[in-house]
Amino acid sequence: MAGRKENNVGDQSLAVEVRTDTGKGVARKLRAVGRIPAVLYGHGNASVSLSIQAQDLDTLLKTSHAGLNTLIDLEGDGAVAGKVVLIKELQRHSVAGTLSHADFFEIDATAKIHVSVPIKLEGTPEGVKLGGVLEHMMREIDLLCLPNAIPDSLEVDVSGMNQDESLHVSDLTLPEGVETGVDEALPIVHVATKKIEEEVEVVAEEDEAAKEGDAEAAPAAEESKED
């Protein structure tokens, strides 16, 4: 089952079983008893087919503050014992939304890895209080760091932003040992001015008036032809 670890490298533990049978028929049988197929790969090793309790993984994801960036200690026999992994991909049923498959990637605690981390905005911009509109343009960012240094998220204080101001990747404060290869000039958040919104509304009203004028002119033209 899933649970928080005190001494291991991972943040959570997950019991898995190695399986030798593969195919759709096997997957259906696993799901019928509450388990799902999974695969472990990484470091150039041959992939290992696994099965896990779907409820265990679901609970792990719901209780972990790090989401898909949770470091997981695999508990099992043979090739998986003591492996520390990240969830590389999850598949869910298209209608029910239940877990149907998982891919795990083995990590090396001493090697930096690329992860995608959410960007969370804090505060209400001054420009929004004056009628501006907040545009959150970058919601996740790719980071490079050691596994034990993965931040849950990056917080950006937008409370001091005025209208027509932006914050960019270069404005982020990254934790020690964490870096990003993302273009520093890319915008993260922007406060659009009220003036721009009003101009858009005026243009829209003018376009609508022009369409109505064209519609009224058309019958008049038809009557002129008949005369």
Side-chain angles (χ1 to χ4, degrees):
M1 63 180 294
R4 182 162 296 281
K5 302 296 288 183
E6 296 295 335
N7 301 316
N8 289 23
V9 175
D11 299 318
Q12 301 273 350
S13 64
L14 182 68
V16 301
E17 293 181 2
V18 176
R19 59 187 174 91
T20 54
D21 296 332
T22 59
K24 293 183 178 180
V26 174
R28 282 195 295 268
K29 290 179 181 178
L30 286 173
R31 295 180 185 117
V33 294
R35 301 184 71 83
I36 61 171
V39 176
L40 167 65
Y41 59 92
H43 295 302
N45 298 325
S47 61
V48 180
S49 296
L50 309 170
S51 76
I52 56 177
Q53 285 286 350
Q55 184 60 50
D56 286 351
L57 182 55
D58 216 16
T59 299
L60 183 152
L61 291 170
K62 290 177 180 178
T63 57
S64 173
H65 51 80
L68 294 180
N69 289 332
T70 300
L71 297 180
I72 303 171
D73 287 313
L74 295 185
E75 295 182 346
D77 299 326
V80 300
K83 300 291 187 183
V84 181
V85 302
L86 282 172
I87 298 172
K88 194 67 175 178
E89 183 179 358
L90 287 178
Q91 295 178 19
R92 292 183 179 273
H93 189 280
S94 58
V95 177
T98 53
L99 290 170
S100 60
H101 191 277
D103 284 358
F104 296 111
F105 181 77
E106 182 184 356
I107 60 103
D108 178 352
T110 64
K112 290 187 174 183
I113 56 175
H114 285 275
V115 291
S116 182
V117 172
I119 296 176
K120 296 183 178 180
L121 307 184
E122 296 184 339
T124 301
E126 289 297 322
V128 170
K129 295 177 182 178
L130 297 175
V133 177
L134 182 66
E135 299 174 344
H136 192 176
M137 304 157 83
M138 184 183 295
R139 296 180 179 274
E140 292 185 340
I141 188 168
D142 182 71
L143 300 179
L144 179 65
C145 60
L146 290 173
N148 63 359
I150 301 173
D152 294 343
S153 62
L154 294 182
E155 285 71 39
V156 177
D157 184 2
V158 298
S159 58
M161 293 182 67
N162 294 309
Q163 292 184 19
D164 203 26
E165 286 187 348
S166 299
L167 291 178
H168 302 80
V169 172
S170 58
D171 296 309
L172 288 174
T173 300
L174 298 178
E176 184 177 355
V178 178
E179 55 188 301
T180 180
V182 176
D183 186 349
E184 292 189 346
L186 290 176
I188 294 172
V189 60
H190 175 74
V191 178
T193 64
K194 186 177 181 180
K195 179 180 178 181
I196 292 177
E197 282 200 322
E198 291 175 343
E199 288 176 352
V200 171
E201 291 177 0
V202 169
V203 170
E205 290 174 358
E206 290 176 348
D207 288 345
E208 187 63 28
K211 291 178 181 178
E212 291 177 356
D214 291 342
E216 292 175 357
E222 290 295 329
E223 291 176 3
S224 176
K225 289 181 181 180
E226 291 177 0
D227 293 342

